[in-house]
């Protein structure tokens, strides 16, 4: 593993791979990325190699049918951050945009249903597909500041990745809004076409508010203090 952290290109594929995700969030079944915790550095780093893209993927809603609601929420917001970050990234492409928009539509419209109703397998199935699309988008464009800020929280404080994303998500998008409000508005058009008559600023604000509301409605904790992070730790 440490060799791969130094040079991920040395990995060579030996066998065919089949990936079966057990959450509706990471999108790892569609990416060439692996995220590794490095305890002595209190950090997480990525290993990126196309060999890790699977040959086959099975999206089976029965694998997430009995997930606890808090895992649905945290992994679902992780997937939502993937699609929003990919769409607002400077590295976005036509391909990543296509998957990010479709993934965003599925997640925005189904995450509350999947969280609130354990028996709503249709909503959970849509979440799995949305997360998969998010993984495809990641491979096309990569993520941005939410993810970058999230990794230290996971590495040092062991905050679940989806939870650390949720803590940061709306705040980062608000901070960056002036630089990506056109893209946020375009995403709003794709997810909420009934708001097409609104202004660019109104649509960007709506997406950011919806992100914050989803985190609130799914009861994800958002206080850094709750996880032992103090003001003096913020520079880290």
């Amino acid at each position: 593993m440490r060799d791969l952290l130094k040079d991920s290109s040395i990995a060579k594929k030996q066998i065919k791979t089949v990936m079966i995700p057990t959450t509706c969030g990471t999108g790892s079944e569609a990416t060439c990325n692996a995220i590794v915790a490095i305890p002595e550095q209190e950090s997480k780093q990525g290993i990126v190699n196309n060999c890790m893209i699977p040959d086959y993927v099975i999206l089976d809603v029965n694998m997430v049918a009995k997930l606890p609601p808090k895992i649905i929420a945290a992994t679902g917001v992780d997937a939502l951050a993937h699609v929003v970050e990919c769409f607002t990234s400077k590295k976005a492409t036509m391909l990543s945009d296509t998957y990010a928009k479709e993934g965003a539509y599925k997640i925005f419209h189904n995450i509350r249903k999947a969280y609130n109703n354990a028996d709503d397998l249709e909503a959970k199935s849509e979440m799995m597909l949305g997360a998969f699309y998010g993984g495809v988008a990641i491979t096309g464009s990569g993520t941005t500041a939410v993810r970058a800020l999230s990794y230290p929280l996971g590495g040092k404080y062991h905050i679940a990745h989806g939870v650390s994303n949720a803590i940061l998500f709306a705040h980062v998008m608000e901070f960056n809004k002036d630089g990506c409000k056109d893209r946020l508005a375009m995403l709003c058009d794709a997810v909420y076409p009934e708001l097409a008559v609104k202004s660019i600023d109104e649509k960007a604000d709506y997406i950011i508010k919806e992100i914050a509301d989803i985190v609130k409605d799914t009861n994800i904790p958002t206080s850094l203090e709750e996880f032992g992070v103090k003001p003096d730790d913020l520079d880290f």
Side-chain angles (χ1 to χ4, degrees):
M1 191 69 73
R2 294 183 187 281
D3 291 339
L4 289 172
L5 284 166
K6 294 175 184 175
D7 180 7
S8 63
S9 69
I10 64 175
K12 305 299 179 187
K13 193 159 197 170
Q14 305 296 323
I15 58 172
K16 295 281 187 179
T17 53
V18 181
M19 301 297 179
I20 307 174
T22 55
T23 71
C24 47
T26 70
S28 59
E29 72 279 5
T31 75
C32 53
N33 307 332
I35 306 302
V36 181
I38 308 172
E40 67 273 19
Q41 296 180 13
E42 297 183 317
S43 70
K44 290 184 176 182
Q45 292 183 24
I47 297 172
V48 181
N49 186 306
N50 285 341
C51 291
M52 288 190 286
I53 297 177
D55 297 287
Y56 305 98
V57 172
I58 298 173
L59 300 178
D60 182 358
V61 71
N62 292 299
M63 299 302 292
V64 301
K66 296 182 180 180
L67 276 183
K70 69 176 184 179
I71 305 298
I72 291 283
T75 60
V77 169
D78 185 16
L80 187 61
H82 289 159
V83 293
V84 174
E85 286 189 275
C86 287
F87 194 78
T88 54
S89 170
K90 288 184 176 180
K91 296 180 181 178
T93 67
M94 290 177 66
L95 179 66
S96 66
D97 282 354
T98 299
Y99 281 95
K101 286 191 290 187
E102 185 64 24
Y105 186 92
K106 290 181 179 299
I107 297 167
F108 272 114
H109 287 290
N110 286 283
I111 187 169
R112 291 182 180 90
K113 296 176 187 176
Y115 173 79
N116 288 315
N117 186 354
D119 297 324
D120 194 338
L121 296 188
E122 182 178 352
K124 290 180 179 179
S125 182
E126 289 289 280
M127 288 295 296
M128 289 193 83
L129 195 53
F132 175 80
Y133 288 164
V136 177
I138 292 170
T139 300
S141 72
T143 51
T144 54
V146 176
R147 203 76 29 179
L149 292 167
S150 181
Y151 287 137
L153 293 177
K156 183 175 177 66
Y157 302 98
H158 307 293
I159 303 173
H161 187 59
V163 174
S164 59
N165 287 335
I167 292 170
L168 297 158
F169 196 1
H171 296 293
V172 171
M173 301 316 299
E174 180 65 38
F175 186 88
N176 285 342
K177 185 179 71 174
D178 287 347
C180 62
K181 62 183 177 181
D182 289 350
R183 298 289 289 178
L184 287 171
M186 290 171 63
L187 192 63
C188 187
D189 287 338
V191 178
Y192 302 105
E194 66 275 15
L195 301 179
V197 296
K198 300 286 188 181
S199 70
I200 288 175
D201 284 302
E202 287 173 325
K203 287 187 279 194
D205 287 339
Y206 188 88
I207 286 289
I208 295 170
K209 182 180 184 300
E210 188 69 357
I211 290 166
D213 286 348
I214 285 170
V215 172
K216 181 179 178 181
D217 293 345
T218 55
N219 296 304
I220 301 176
T222 56
S223 170
L224 287 172
E225 290 180 339
E226 186 173 330
F227 297 98
V229 183
K230 302 177 178 63
D232 291 344
D233 297 325
L234 294 181
D235 281 347
F236 170 85

